């Protein structure tokens, strides 16, 4: 590979590189016959890339070897311009020239490959574009074919008469059976012609009907104008007849207004109103029914959801925009809002007034809870006289307890609808009793008056709605009136008892002796907690004869040094259920019905013999008669006690004033507590 300088000098041919083969080089080549044109592109076609690669490796190896020899010569002390070093420099230059040529060839190969790749890509792009054009033409042709196949003529949308009717009804000049029966196209054209004839005839009938309609409308407008002119006159007549209606107790106008408002009542309140009004007209003329509340809000509730949605679409959009700007409500606030929505009342309520002979009125306010589907009631009592004198009678007319247990075990603390329990769990309500003071009591009888009945009521009745309400209306109204009379009677009696006076009516005087020495000294009211703390009433509590809804009182009867304490339990259903007395005597020690037979006998005298103590119906004097009998029994107990003990004539403190057949009987030495009228003596039972 190393060429000497002489060999280089002897080379006569002159090579001119021509990479691109320009015209100038060609002209020069034609002008000088000794000059041969050197074209690397032509040479590139004949050269093998693999051989060029091997030449490149060998050249690099020789170049590295020459460099190493130059390094050895320089390290051996040879000078820079020495022959050996210059010779190797020339050889290195030749190798560099070879490397440059190989580099040019590599770049030319790369350029040629890129050009070939670009030409191939252009051919592929042209073919792909042609393919896309063909696919688009195919798709366009397919769409045109589909349109042609899916084309429907307008006559296909016309509901033509059947072929049988066509041949039966159409005249022969239109039907042409000899032609249309064999040609479907002619049949379709003939049927279309017949359809056109029919429509022309119907159009004429339509025009005639419109003309007749216009005449009728004009007549209606004339009659409407006449009726509208009558309206002011009729209104004036109705206004002038109002005094007559009031005088005759026939308030037609008021009834009409109430009927208009009643259309917006929920079904339960509507049933209650209708049945209460019917009962008032048939059985109780003093009963009145009125509708109270916001009528406009009730009308808004009864409107259709789509109507309200159309009216409030703009306001809803504004509210949504405002809500997005506000802070997100906390979980507690959201839960409280859900509770309020769950316990929401209907804007209309019903007021039923029950009047008594003494002028007192029981106001019943019925409300409907829309989401819970139950009715609630609140009460208020109006009296002709002031009833604020008796302290112990404070709970008698309290709206929270006035109607408790109108029917047995109906306390009105919990909702009778079993579905509400699951609704309460969703909003975190533990018991409905927490909301009774605000919403009213959901008594079971209230639900039945509204035609509502739930599975928790026990035995299910086949009646429903108005029939269910009517079946309970009369008895419930009598119970309500009786409850008011009983509470008012108790209120009047408590006023006397607080002044140590036992009011005994003239009809009940024969039940007691003429002289009763023992007297009532104290009458006070107790709470349920105070009652349970008394020692001599524990047997009553264990027997389950006391409930928290009862009324509790303490009566103290005294005679001399003896003091008899009586814990009195008055059931809300008084006088249907007798008051219960528990006794404790403080005289020569403390005694009670649990420790002494005679005190237990005294309890029996006041607790058991209802027929003797009830008095005239409805038995409103029962409580005072029991207290008076308790005083009589204490007299008998004290007057006969000394003779039982030692047989003496008795102490001066309790002189014997009652006539007794026997002072004691039996091993238990029971005393004679039974009073016999008209003989006037006491005997054993």
């Amino acid at each position: 590979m190393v060429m000497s300088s002489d060999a280089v000098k002897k080379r006569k041919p002159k090579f001119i590189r021509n990479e691109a083969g320009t015209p100038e080089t060609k002209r020069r080549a034609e002008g000088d016959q000794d000059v041969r044109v050197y074209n690397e592109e032509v040479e590139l076609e004949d050269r093998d890339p693999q051989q060029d690669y091997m030449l490149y490796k060998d050249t690099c190896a020789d170049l590295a070897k020459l460099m190493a020899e130059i390094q050895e010569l320089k390290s051996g002390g040879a000078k820079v311009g020495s022959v050996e070093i210059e010779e190797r420099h020339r050889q290195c230059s030749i190798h560099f020239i070879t490397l440059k040529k190989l580099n040019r060839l590599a770049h030319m190969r790369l350029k040629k490959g890129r050009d070939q790749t670009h030409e191939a890509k252009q051919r592929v792009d042209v073919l792909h574009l042609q393919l896309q054009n063909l696919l688009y033409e195919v798709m366009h042709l397919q769409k045109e074919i589909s349109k042609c196949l899916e084309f429907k003529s307008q006559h296909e949308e016309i509901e033509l008469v059947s072929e049988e009717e066509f041949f039966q009804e159409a005249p022969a000049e239109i039907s042409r059976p000899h032609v249309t029966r064999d040609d479907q196209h002619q049949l379709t054209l003939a049927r279309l012609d017949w359809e056109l004839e029919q429509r022309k005839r119907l159009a004429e009938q339509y025009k005639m009907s419109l003309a007749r309609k216009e005449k009728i409308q004009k007549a209606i407008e004339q009659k409407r104008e006449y009726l509208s002119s009558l309206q002011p006159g009729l209104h004036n007549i109705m206004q002038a007849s109002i005094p007559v209606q009031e005088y005759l107790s026939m308030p037609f106008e008021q009834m009409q207004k109430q009927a208009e408002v009643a259309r917006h009542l929920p079904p339960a309140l509507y049933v209650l109103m209708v049945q209460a009004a019917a009962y008032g007209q048939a059985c109780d003329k003093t009963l009145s029914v009125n509708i109270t509340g916001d009528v406009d809000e009730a009308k808004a509730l009864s409107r259709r959801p789509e109507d309200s949605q159309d009216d409030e679409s703009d306001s809803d959009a504004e509210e949504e925009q405002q809500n997005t700007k506000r802070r997100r409500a906390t979980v507690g606030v959201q839960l409280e809002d859900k509770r309020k929505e769950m316990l929401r009342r209907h804007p209309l309520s019903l007021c039923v007034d029950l009047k008594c002979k003494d002028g007192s009125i029981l106001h019943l306010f019925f409300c409907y809870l829309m989401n819970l589907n139950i009715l609630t009631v609140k009460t208020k009592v109006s009296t002709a006289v002031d009833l604020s004198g008796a302290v112990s009678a404070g709970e008698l007319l309290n709206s929270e307890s006035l109607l408790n247990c109108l029917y047995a075990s109906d306390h009105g603390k919990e909702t009778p609808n079993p579905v509400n329990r699951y609704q309460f769990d969703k909003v975190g309500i533990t018991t409905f009793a927490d909301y009774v003071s605000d919403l009213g009591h959901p008594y079971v009888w209230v639900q039945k008056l509204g035609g509502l009945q739930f599975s928790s009521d026990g035995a299910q009745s086949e009646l429903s709605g108005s029939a269910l309400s009517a079946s309970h209306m009369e008895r419930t109204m009598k119970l309500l009136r009786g409850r008011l009379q009983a509470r008012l009677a108790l209120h009047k009696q408590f006023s006397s008892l607080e002044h140590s006076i036992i009011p005994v009516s003239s009809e009940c005087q024969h039940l007691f002796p003429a002289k009763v020495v023992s007297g009532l000294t104290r009458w006070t009211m107790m709470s349920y907690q105070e009652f349970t703390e008394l020692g001599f009433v524990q047997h009553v509590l264990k027997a389950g004869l006391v409930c928290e809804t009862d009324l509790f009182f303490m009566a103290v009867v005294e005679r001399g040094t003896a003091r008899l304490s009586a814990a009195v339990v008055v059931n809300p259903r008084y006088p249907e259920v007798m008051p219960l007395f528990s006794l404790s005597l403080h005289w020569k020690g403390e005694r009670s019905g649990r420790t002494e037979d005679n005190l237990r006998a005294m309890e029996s005298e006041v607790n058991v013999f209802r027929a003797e103590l009830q008095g005239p119906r409805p038995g409103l004097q029962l409580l005072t008669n029991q207290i008076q009998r308790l005083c009589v029994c204490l007299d008998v107990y004290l007057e006969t006690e000394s003779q039982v003990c030692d047989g003496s004539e008795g102490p001066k403190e309790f002189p014997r004033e009652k006539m007794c057949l026997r002072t004691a009987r039996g091993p238990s030495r029971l005393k004679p507590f039974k009073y016999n009228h008209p003989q006037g003596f006491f005997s054993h039972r």
Side-chain angles (χ1 to χ4, degrees), residues 4 38 235 307 335 429 461 474 503 558 569 676:
S4 62
Y38 174 68
H235 180 72
D307 296 341
L335 195 60
I429 297 177
S461 173
E474 183 175 3
E558 294 184 358
V569 180
N676 296 271

Side-chain angles (χ1 to χ4, degrees), residues 75-89:
S75 61
K79 294 182 179 181
V80 177
S82 62
V83 178
E84 292 83 359
I85 293 176
E86 289 297 328
E87 181 65 22
R88 287 173 173 78
H89 281 173

Side-chain angles (χ1 to χ4, degrees), residues 504-524:
V504 179
S505 62
S506 58
E507 295 87 352
C508 301
Q509 289 290 346
H510 68 279
L511 299 176
F512 314 104
K515 184 177 181 181
V516 180
V517 181
S518 299
L520 180 69
T521 60
R522 185 162 65 95
W523 175 263
T524 57

Side-chain angles (χ1 to χ4, degrees), residues 353-588:
D353 294 339
L354 281 173
K355 298 180 181 179
C356 298
K357 295 180 180 180
D358 57 356
S360 58
I361 304 175
L362 176 61
H363 306 279
L364 301 172
F365 303 96
F366 296 93
C367 300
Y368 178 70
L369 304 185
M370 297 181 291
N371 295 320
L372 300 183
N373 190 28
I374 59 174
L375 289 174
T376 60
V377 63
K378 285 186 174 183
T379 59
K380 181 183 177 182
V381 178
S382 300
T383 57
V385 296
D386 186 16
L387 299 178
S388 59
V391 178
S392 59
E395 294 294 326
L396 290 178
L397 299 179
N398 188 1
S399 60
E400 296 294 328
S401 59
L402 177 60
L403 301 183
N404 280 348
C405 299
L406 189 67
Y407 290 88
S409 302
D410 191 2
H411 303 293
K413 295 296 183 182
E414 292 296 336
T415 169
N417 190 353
V419 179
N420 300 154
R421 181 68 270 160
Y422 302 97
Q423 294 175 311
F424 291 163
D425 293 340
K426 293 181 179 180
V427 296
I429 297 177
T430 56
T431 175
F432 187 78
D434 299 336
Y435 304 91
V436 163
S437 59
D438 182 40
L439 301 176
H441 293 265
Y443 297 111
V444 176
W445 58 267
V446 176
Q447 318 307 318
K448 292 182 179 179
L449 290 184
L452 301 176
Q453 190 170 13
F454 307 104
S455 58
S456 59
D457 294 346
Q460 292 295 303
S461 173
E462 296 181 357
L463 302 177
S464 62
S466 298
L468 178 64
S469 177
S471 64
H472 288 78
M473 182 62 67
E474 183 175 3
R475 173 168 170 76
T476 302
M477 291 301 168
K478 289 181 179 180
L479 289 176
L480 289 171
R481 194 182 301 276
R483 173 62 60 87
L484 179 60
Q485 293 176 352
R487 291 299 174 90
L488 291 175
L490 285 177
H491 199 290
K492 185 177 180 180
Q493 294 170 9
F494 286 0
S495 298
S496 300
L497 294 177
E498 288 185 359
H499 292 85
S500 300
I501 300 174
I502 303 176
V504 179
S505 62
S506 58
E507 295 87 352
C508 301
Q509 289 290 346
H510 68 279
L511 299 176
F512 314 104
K515 184 177 181 181
V516 180
V517 181
S518 299
L520 180 69
T521 60
R522 185 162 65 95
W523 175 263
T524 57
M525 187 175 184
M526 291 189 301
S527 64
Y528 176 74
Q529 184 65 28
E530 293 173 345
F531 180 83
T532 56
E533 294 175 356
L534 298 176
F536 59 93
V537 300
Q538 299 304 316
H539 62 289
V540 178
L541 295 173
K542 292 179 181 178
L545 301 177
V546 177
C547 184
E548 292 187 21
T549 56
D550 297 335
L551 302 175
F552 305 94
F553 303 91
M554 175 63 74
V556 178
V557 180
E558 294 184 358
R559 179 179 178 181
T561 59
R563 181 166 59 90
L564 180 64
S565 299
V568 185
V569 180
V570 180
N571 192 279
R573 299 172 64 196
Y574 173 88
E576 182 180 352
V577 179
M578 287 186 65
L580 181 63
F581 284 70
S582 299
L583 305 179
S584 174
L585 178 63
H586 295 268
W587 183 61
K588 297 181 181 180

Side-chain angles (χ1 to χ4, degrees), residues 22 73 149 208 244 312 314 419 482:
T22 60
L73 290 174
L149 294 176
M208 295 173 61
V244 180
E312 300 176 1
D314 297 337
V419 179

Side-chain angles (χ1 to χ4, degrees), residues 254 258 273 276-277 279-281 284-291 350-355 361-364 366 477 481:
Q254 183 180 359
Q258 188 166 347
M273 184 203 71
Y279 173 77
Q281 293 178 6
D284 189 355
K285 299 297 182 180
T286 61
L287 185 144
S288 61
V289 182
N290 296 311
I291 302 174
L350 206 62
C351 178
V352 178
D353 294 339
L354 281 173
K355 298 180 181 179
I361 304 175
L362 176 61
H363 306 279
L364 301 172
F366 296 93
M477 291 301 168
R481 194 182 301 276

